[in-house]
Amino acid sequence: MEDLEPKKNYISWPILALMDFVTVIGFDDLTYNFQNQGMGVITSWVIMLFLYVIPYSLMVGQLGSVFNHEGGGLTSWVRGTSGEFLGYFTAWTYWAASIPYVVDTANSIVVGLGWAYYGNARLQSHMSNGWFAFWTLITFIVFIFVQSRFKRSLEVLSTIGGIAMFGMTVLFVLMTFAGLANGGHIATQPMNFHTIVPKFDLHYLTTIGLLIYAVNGAELIAPFVTKMRHPKKEFPKAMIMLAVMTAFLTIFGSFSLGVFFDGYHLPNDLKMNGSYYAFQALGEQYHVGNLLMYIFAWTEVFYLAALLAVLLDAMTRMLISDTGAKYMPKVLSKKNSNGLPVNGYLLTCGLSAFIMLLGIFLPSMNDIFNWLLNLNGIISPGVTCWIFFAFIKIRQDSQKFPSEYVYIKNDKMALLVGWWCLIVTAVATIFGIGPQDVAFGGATWWYELVINFVAIIVLIGLGAVLPYVTRRENRSTTGSAFTRLQWTGILVALFLTIVGDLYLGGSNYQHNIFAIVGLSILGIILVIAFGFKEYNLKEI
């Protein structure tokens, strides 16, 4: 009988570890957190690895094993433990958290092209905030068009690009140590034990969210847990291998950055340009000029371009396919003749433009980049809380949720670890709302604090509006929440408002802030006016 059964293709634990590693950490994650904490980030990485990353990954393994028949997605975990509405809301928040990420990715493509073309950081001094936002928006439009025709090939290319990016990071570390062995000097002085101990203050607390943002993503490999031959033995091995590789990259990578940058006096634009500065400095040390920087720049652009195209498609399809039909408007599920969810794409572009609009008043292009990156450090950890919430739920009733792989057999101990990760992540999310890269209490600090709250309220709050739109669809005899004229009016009002605000933000008009506020208020009034009245109501 065994011979008649089809052979199952198992995945080995080293392959699973490598797959997870590519999604967890990258070279840019090192520079982002290096600017936040300096050389002290080395200690932070060690603490994170043992007290957060390993338990987080192993919890994901059990969740993937419990819900293996539902694809192992975060939404199915919450839906399976807490009902349909929380499942829908998890899907929405997971999708909403992707908006700042894809905007950040598009921004990084623009920055990368600037380095690939000019060979330096000239772009930030020659491009206004308005033009930076404009070219980011154009990047969105181009890649939505591209992914619809080359989606499968881009998935392969993004994987190749991710591996190539990892290779560049390892190369940077190895060449740095080789340079030190040949008489190179360390820019961070003094270099001693106190140098790598972070200063535990309010600023430190605001930066934990970006550390979590850098290492999350393990939930993406959850569906593969059940594809292992012996999950109980092999999955922990994969996570240990992941921890070792992550430790190597984060600890030695951060130290290598300290070789080229003075950890006590870092450039203000290190988050935006640090990766390019690092390879530029490495090239100078080996007397090859900008060669390594150009290789890295094109690798970065290649990887991010493919990643953006796949993300724009994957996140939109995930939203409309893995949420309850009871809460998700049918208009977002509508597809064109090529099977593309065009309305979902429009929503993605609209919210992305809104996020860019919030940052347009910041003093410089570098401030926009830093703020947007830090926004990821708020929203992304906030969504990660759902993972620990679902884990706590299955361990509170472990008999109801059996699994082939179990993380910590004792339920009380497992719950303790689950609550620990949930509390740490929630605290990091809350403190992450505080601005990080500007002077405390200044005008820019207060502005960033305000737009952090605005971004969170709009991105998460819109998830509560969509069920209202769905109810309007259900009340209509035509199945549409709004008439074609209403939809046209709403979309035109939104489009003109966004384009007008972006134009004003990039202009030298003396009262552009007041003009943008006035135009935004007018746009909101028009949207409400167009959509307020309901037509074609069913008779009760």
Side-chain angles (χ1 to χ4, degrees):
M1 290 297 294
E2 291 181 358
D3 294 335
L4 296 176
E5 294 179 358
K7 291 185 178 180
K8 183 177 180 180
N9 292 321
Y10 294 102
I11 186 170
S12 65
W13 62 267
I15 295 298
L16 185 70
L18 288 169
M19 289 170 60
D20 200 9
F21 183 74
V22 171
T23 67
V24 167
I25 201 77
F27 191 82
D28 289 332
D29 293 318
L30 303 182
T31 58
Y32 298 157
N33 289 286
F34 189 78
Q35 179 166 348
N36 280 343
Q37 299 184 14
M39 292 294 289
V41 76
I42 292 176
T43 300
S44 296
W45 284 124
V46 174
I47 295 173
M48 285 289 295
L49 282 169
F50 289 100
L51 297 183
Y52 191 86
V53 176
I54 293 177
Y56 162 50
S57 302
L58 295 174
M59 288 180 207
V60 163
Q62 182 170 351
L63 286 164
S65 180
V66 169
F67 297 100
N68 60 84
H69 296 298
E70 299 182 48
L74 176 58
T75 302
S76 63
W77 302 344
V78 177
R79 182 190 295 122
T81 57
S82 305
E84 189 70 24
F85 178 75
L86 278 185
Y88 153 75
F89 200 68
T90 301
W92 173 262
T93 52
Y94 195 86
W95 179 83
S98 302
I99 294 293
Y101 181 50
V102 296
V103 176
D104 180 46
T105 302
N107 278 345
S108 298
I109 290 175
V110 176
V111 172
L113 287 172
W115 275 90
Y117 181 77
Y118 292 114
N120 52 44
R122 177 183 173 186
L123 186 70
Q124 70 186 71
S125 60
H126 286 73
M127 184 176 286
S128 68
N129 291 357
W131 279 110
F132 186 40
F134 172 77
W135 285 114
T136 300
L137 186 60
I138 291 298
T139 302
F140 273 113
I141 296 171
V142 168
F143 281 98
I144 281 179
F145 173 79
V146 169
Q147 68 79 29
S148 66
R149 285 159 174 76
F150 306 103
K151 178 180 176 291
R152 289 188 177 179
S153 60
L154 286 173
E155 288 177 346
V156 176
L157 294 177
S158 62
T159 303
I160 295 173
I163 295 173
M165 185 60 64
F166 168 63
M168 291 295 293
T169 306
V170 173
L171 180 67
F172 176 79
V173 172
L174 295 178
M175 291 183 72
T176 298
F177 278 87
L180 288 176
N182 290 324
H185 71 281
I186 300 176
T188 302
Q189 296 294 337
M191 176 66 77
N192 51 43
F193 175 76
H194 297 288
T195 306
I196 65 172
V197 177
K199 185 178 180 181
F200 297 101
D201 54 10
L202 179 61
H203 173 74
Y204 181 84
L205 291 174
T206 65
T207 63
I208 296 176
L210 203 59
L211 281 169
I212 293 175
Y213 166 67
V215 298
N216 67 11
E219 65 273 12
L220 299 176
I221 55 93
F224 298 98
V225 176
T226 55
K227 295 183 179 180
M228 305 182 80
R229 186 180 295 274
H230 302 292
K232 291 181 181 179
K233 296 180 179 179
E234 295 181 340
F235 186 73
K237 290 181 181 179
M239 292 304 100
I240 292 172
M241 180 177 171
L242 168 68
V244 171
M245 291 190 297
T246 305
F248 168 81
L249 198 63
T250 54
I251 295 171
F252 291 104
S254 298
F255 175 81
S256 298
L257 289 173
V259 170
F260 294 105
F261 302 101
D262 182 355
Y264 299 103
H265 303 91
L266 295 171
N268 185 49
D269 63 342
L270 192 70
K271 286 183 179 177
M272 184 167 70
N273 297 310
S275 300
Y276 304 99
Y277 288 148
F279 279 95
Q280 197 171 46
L282 186 66
E284 291 175 359
Q285 184 183 67
Y286 281 88
H287 308 292
V288 293
N290 280 341
L291 177 62
L292 294 176
M293 185 278 295
Y294 279 118
I295 293 175
F296 175 81
W298 284 111
T299 301
E300 176 94 321
V301 170
F302 171 80
Y303 168 62
L304 291 176
L307 178 63
L308 178 62
V310 174
L311 279 173
L312 285 170
D313 181 72
M315 62 184 284
T316 303
R317 291 179 186 270
M318 182 275 291
L319 176 67
I320 65 176
S321 63
D322 198 20
T323 49
K326 180 179 178 181
Y327 306 103
M328 181 58 58
K330 297 181 181 63
V331 66
L332 289 179
S333 305
K334 184 179 179 181
K335 299 179 181 179
N336 64 8
S337 58
N338 294 322
L340 300 175
V342 288
N343 293 332
Y345 290 149
L346 288 175
L347 180 63
T348 302
C349 285
L351 285 177
S352 300
F354 167 75
I355 292 298
M356 289 185 288
L357 174 64
L358 290 178
I360 206 169
F361 302 121
L362 292 169
S364 68
M365 176 176 161
N366 183 55
D367 289 309
I368 295 176
F369 190 94
N370 288 347
W371 167 73
L372 186 60
L373 178 63
N374 295 333
L375 182 61
N376 280 294
I378 304 169
I379 296 181
S380 183
V383 174
T384 303
C385 288
W386 287 115
I387 295 174
F388 306 122
F389 171 81
F391 179 77
I392 290 170
K393 283 290 187 179
I394 66 170
R395 297 312 296 261
Q396 285 177 337
D397 193 355
S398 56
Q399 297 299 319
K400 183 181 177 181
F401 300 103
S403 63
E404 188 174 357
Y405 168 73
V406 178
Y407 170 57
I408 305 179
K409 293 183 179 180
N410 185 282
D411 285 336
K412 291 183 178 179
M413 183 60 67
L415 285 170
L416 180 65
V417 177
W419 277 109
W420 156 258
C421 288
L422 177 60
I423 292 170
V424 167
T425 308
V427 169
T429 301
I430 294 169
F431 277 101
I433 297 174
Q436 302 170 22
D437 300 294
V438 293
F440 178 80
T444 303
W445 188 91
W446 281 108
Y447 179 73
E448 287 195 7
L449 183 65
V450 169
I451 60 178
N452 281 343
F453 277 107
V454 171
I456 293 168
I457 291 170
V458 171
L459 288 176
I460 305 303
L462 188 56
V465 174
L466 292 183
Y468 164 73
V469 176
T470 304
R471 289 195 297 271
R472 283 184 60 134
E473 286 182 341
N474 295 333
R475 288 196 296 260
S476 172
T477 56
T478 62
S480 177
F482 306 99
T483 65
R484 180 169 294 184
L485 182 61
Q486 284 180 307
W487 275 120
T488 302
I490 291 171
L491 294 176
V492 169
L494 287 173
F495 177 77
L496 292 179
T497 301
I498 292 172
V499 171
D501 284 343
L502 290 176
Y503 173 77
L504 289 170
S507 70
N508 295 320
Y509 179 54
Q510 186 177 4
H511 303 292
N512 61 347
I513 292 181
F514 298 104
I516 291 174
V517 171
L519 181 59
S520 299
I521 293 174
L522 177 61
I524 293 171
I525 292 173
L526 287 173
V527 169
I528 295 174
F530 278 117
F532 183 76
K533 188 174 181 180
E534 291 189 56
Y535 295 92
N536 304 317
L537 291 175
K538 294 179 181 177
E539 294 183 5
I540 300 176

